[in-house]
Amino acid sequence: MTETGTRPAEAPVRPVPKLAARRAGALAARAAAVLAKRVLMLVVLLALVFAAIELLPGDAATATAERGEGAAGVAARRRLLGLDRPVWERFWDWITALPTGDLGTSARGERVGDLLAAPLPNTVLLGSTAFVLTVLGALALGIWAAARPKGLVDRAVDLTSTAAFALPEFVVAVGLLLVLSLWTGWLPAATVTGADGAPATWTMLVMPVLALTVPQTGWNTRIVRGALADQAATPHVEAARLDGLTTRQVLLRHALPGAWPAIATGVATSTGMLLGGTVVVETLFNYPGIGTVLAGAVADRDTPVIAAVVACSAALITVVLLLADLVRARTLGARP
């Protein structure tokens, strides 16, 4: 108490840093739990890959045998590849070596890591280009349609996006081959590689990229449009509209931030679809990527190569899904 009988002013209590620390800790714990769950799912998936290949007719020894090779040579090759051992034992040896970066040895005696290293940049180039174009196209079309709800543009975008998503990648690829290559001759039908193993010209990327982009742009356009429509009915967007803001300001400043969780989930889902479509598209266009290697590995019953491709793809999808979960948790957690 002071001489005047009043209590001295106390420093204001600021619980914000503690609250932020608790939120960050909860977010980290959630991310760790989700990651552990998905790692376990990946191990189960890889075990199923080994089991499924074991059930296929033939094995790697017979599939890679030389013409005229006798039964003794095939049996020796089978022992060399370890195919005379139980499948669970081969899986255990492979999965325990995976954390060290050892992807095993292919049925033709090559290290799987070296086998995938050469085509990997080509697949990354193809997939990342298609991914960026998918996101940009879906955002542009979804926002364009949302700016004119129930109008002609909205109906046209809805119809077009539905039709695009309904088309599988191989149907789009065949259509592109017919129109842009066989009928008009504008683009090469197959990919020719240069001395560095990459496509010789950028024109050889156009049709593979479009074949991947068109279906996923249709899928994500519908997600963007639906998320913006949901946000349009929320009170804060209605208030922004009543305040006299332009349609563009309402969409970009008030509706789009709240739509990011749904958009991020859709984009993350598209990552897996793009990777799955890559196998078909690369095969159709003779593109020198991981998909072509995977197709050859399936024909050879080459379990380590197939499992390595699945593991790399699943790891990438897991990271993207985890980022989408973090975006969703952060956005929804920041809202009152």
Side-chain angles (χ1 to χ4, degrees), residues 11-18:
V13 179
R14 297 182 178 180
V16 175
K18 292 183 178 179

Side-chain angles (χ1 to χ4, degrees), residues 12 36 60 66 75 97 132 136 166 170 172 177 201 234 268 278 312 317 319 332:
E66 300 292 338
V132 171
L136 295 178
F170 73 89
V172 179
L177 280 169
T201 62
T234 57
T278 298
C312 294
I317 295 173
V319 171
L332 297 180

Side-chain angles (χ1 to χ4, degrees), residues 29 35 63 115 149 175 178 210 221 225 233 238 266 292 295 303 315 321 328-329:
L35 183 60
L115 184 65
L178 287 174
L210 287 177
T221 297
R225 179 66 186 93
E238 289 283 354
T292 304
T303 305
L321 289 175
R328 183 178 180 85

Side-chain angles (χ1 to χ4, degrees), residues 174-185:
V174 171
L176 291 172
L177 280 169
L178 287 174
V179 176
L180 299 180
S181 182
L182 297 181
W183 293 350
T184 63

Side-chain angles (χ1 to χ4, degrees), residues 106-126:
S106 74
R108 299 185 182 276
E110 300 176 83
R111 294 187 60 82
V112 176
D114 298 335
L115 184 65
L116 299 181
L120 180 61
N122 295 331
T123 296
V124 170
L125 175 62
L126 176 62

Side-chain angles (χ1 to χ4, degrees), residues 5-28:
T6 60
R7 186 179 301 274
E10 297 180 356
V13 179
R14 297 182 178 180
V16 175
K18 292 183 178 179
L19 180 60
R22 285 199 298 271
R23 286 181 177 176
L27 193 61

